[in-house]
Amino acid sequence: MNELLSQLNDQQRAAVEYIDGPMVVFAGAGTGKTRVITYRIAYLLNLGVNPYNILAVTFTNKAAQEMKDRLVKLFHQKAENVWVSTFHSLCAKILYTEAKNFGLKKNFVIYDENDSIKLIKECMKEVSIQPTNFSVYDIYELICRAKDNLIDPESYKINAVVSHQYHREIIAEIYSRYQKKLVQNNAFDFNDLIMKTVELFKNEKFVEIKNKYAQRFKYIHVDEYQDVNYSQVVLLKILSSIHHNVCVVGDDDQTIYSWRGSNVNYLLNFKKDFSTKDVEVKEFKITQNYRSKKTILDVSNMLINHNKYRVEKNLFSNIEGEFKNDIKIKQCEHEYDEAEFVAKEILKLQQTEKFCNSAVAVLYRTNAQSRVFEEVFSEYKIPYKIVGSVAFYDRKEIKDIIAYLRVLVNPEDSVSLKRIINIPSRGIGETTILYLETLAKENKTSLWEQIVKIDNTELSLKVKNSVWKFLSLYDLLKKYKDTMYPSEFIKFLIEKINYIEMIEENNRFENKTERMSNIEQLVDIAKNFEVQNNISTIEEFLNSISLFTTADTEEKIEFKNQNQKLKEVVLMTLHSAKGLEFDVVFIVGLVEGVLPIWWVTGTDVGYKNFNIPYDEKNMFYELNYVNIEEERRLCYVGITRTKKLLYLTYYLKRRLWGEEKHCLPSRFLEEILDGYKESSATHTDIISDVQEVEKIDYLTTGEFVVHDKFGVGKVVDIVREPPYDKIVVLFQNGQRKKLSFQHAKLKKLKGYNINQ
């Protein structure tokens, strides 16, 4: 026991040893959040707690597997029996195990985003909604958020009617039809898994089942709690309703997924939400960082301390550094200039001893920013890798094979059936499918039933022959499905449907070798599941792979594989970088409208003009204060990925829609610089490249100025109003100020560079 605890610092140990009652651990970036949970579970096992009574939940299958691996190393024998999974995997297993008791069909399938999109498109056609009026992806996101908040179709419809919003009434109708189609297909989408589990647990008919799980889980742990949504919080309350021993670990400063339903308040209000009249939530803070130099943490603290909605904490590190050498802020003329600067710095770094390209990351706010870096890096012969592009399970060949497996398990799955019925091409076109679907609706049967009854249709003999061949193939595959392990059957299926031949013959496939390698990898994945997860059926295999979230891209898994050394500089969004670390980090595009993003600031910086009147600006920014805080957290996440050297870059102008636009340096830069000036007793002049203006004629709109009180701003108008000339400046905090030129004491900003 002492040997176990001796591996923890005082803050970590205090959290690990507290085991009586609900608790929340506010753990900063690089402080060992997951370590606290794994060591706490090991501590409980050491005390004799039955592993059957311990649950640990996180957000990705990758993270869950890593946690399980760490546990096995710490406490091999008992750790194998600890239930470690994602929220969705947990609920899928509960629904699958209790299907008969809940009155569900056990052979349900789990739809991913692409399957759901197809189903929603069908619903849109039925209500005559054109994609030009409503984006199918926007509708999908709205339905997902509704389910995250446990709002069923009927409740959504009521809310839409009460709010008198026509577009919401249309979405309510699509939501209702979509949910009915899921039921008809015996399918759940990803968000249904938690929503359905909560719904059934709340039903008084199933109180015994609910209590069985609440009684079982005496100790519940949740990692990355800052990322939870409402449905997950409700589920957690249900599961902890008997023992109340729930431990959550998270960092409110890393809540960056509000667009996926997470809300920083779930972590901040944990004490209020989970305290009872008999027991109060205990709070812990962990602030010692083991990743970054002290100087880098100082910068991150300077930035994040501007957020209002957070738990106060300052990260610290025992890794010393020198500010001037570790933090480099660079002004560039334009985006291409910025990319060239980054490329040249990387070339310099390559000359240093033990340098590795993969230790360098270029982080940006949006995917569109990668283009110029791709061009420049190619020009400078710098190898690079874009992380987070197409997920492995979204690739066509993988989707095709999985669709075949789904149909063999559940032929009522019309989405998968329509995907594979003519792959490889067998003469069953869209017109035939549409005709069969129409008959199915008229006869109130499924598409599959209509295909089986193909003889009763008026289709041509040629088409019927094609359908008969497909049914014959189905029967053959169905016959052998349960006689082989998944990996063996997938190889058998690929051979029988002539899929490899299709890849080789089809000119539309640009890279035949890559696609065949992907299929080979799918077989390897099935084999790994057989060995590691002890699965033996296609049904178990489908349930396992369906639970991979969009965060579990092949690229990210490959990147985090410690056995594979990448030789490319990594290009990725700030969102994708969460949870990773690099020796050198470039955070690029630090300008208003990019970081923070334009739809949060609401200003015209070349992206969009909200046309907000001057006197309403302050109101707008107050309403968007929370969103600005998330943008600041996103920047903070990027900074805290850095171990040794941090670059922050911005540019003064960029070309959009053929026009050159002036850009304002990000307010986050000024917040960092202001913090540095306050904390440094020896600094001389950070904003060194300035010129004091004596006459208004020397200023023009679009130029940057520095004000002693308001900081850096952009001149947006010059007004001659006797007796004093006025200048209108848009400052980084969003405020527009009309200043008397004679009294403002403005300085023209040519650029500022902390390293000059």
Side-chain angles (χ1 to χ4, degrees), residues 22 270-282:
F270 183 84
K271 184 172 185 177
K272 174 184 173 184
D273 293 340
F274 282 81
S275 292
T276 67
K277 63 179 181 180
D278 299 318
V279 60
E280 186 176 52
V281 169
K282 180 84 169 175

Side-chain angles (χ1 to χ4, degrees), residues 587-606:
I587 300 180
V588 299
L590 274 161
V591 298
E592 290 290 301
V594 178
L595 185 62
I597 199 71
W598 62 264
W599 58 74
V600 169
T601 61
T603 53
D604 179 13
V605 290

Side-chain angles (χ1 to χ4, degrees), residues 41-42 44-52 54 68 71-72 74-83:
I41 293 173
L44 290 169
L45 293 174
N46 216 320
L47 291 176
V49 175
N50 191 331
Y52 178 81
I54 300 175
K68 190 66 176 278
L71 277 172
V72 170
L74 288 173
F75 219 104
H76 177 68
Q77 291 180 327
K78 293 185 178 180
E80 289 283 4
N81 297 319
V82 175
W83 192 335

Side-chain angles (χ1 to χ4, degrees), residues 90 144 164 188 263 273 376 382 433 480 537 564 662:
L90 168 69
C144 287
H164 301 291
F188 292 119
N263 188 321
D273 293 340
V376 172
I382 296 174
I433 298 299
Y480 287 96
T537 68
Q564 181 167 353
H662 289 283

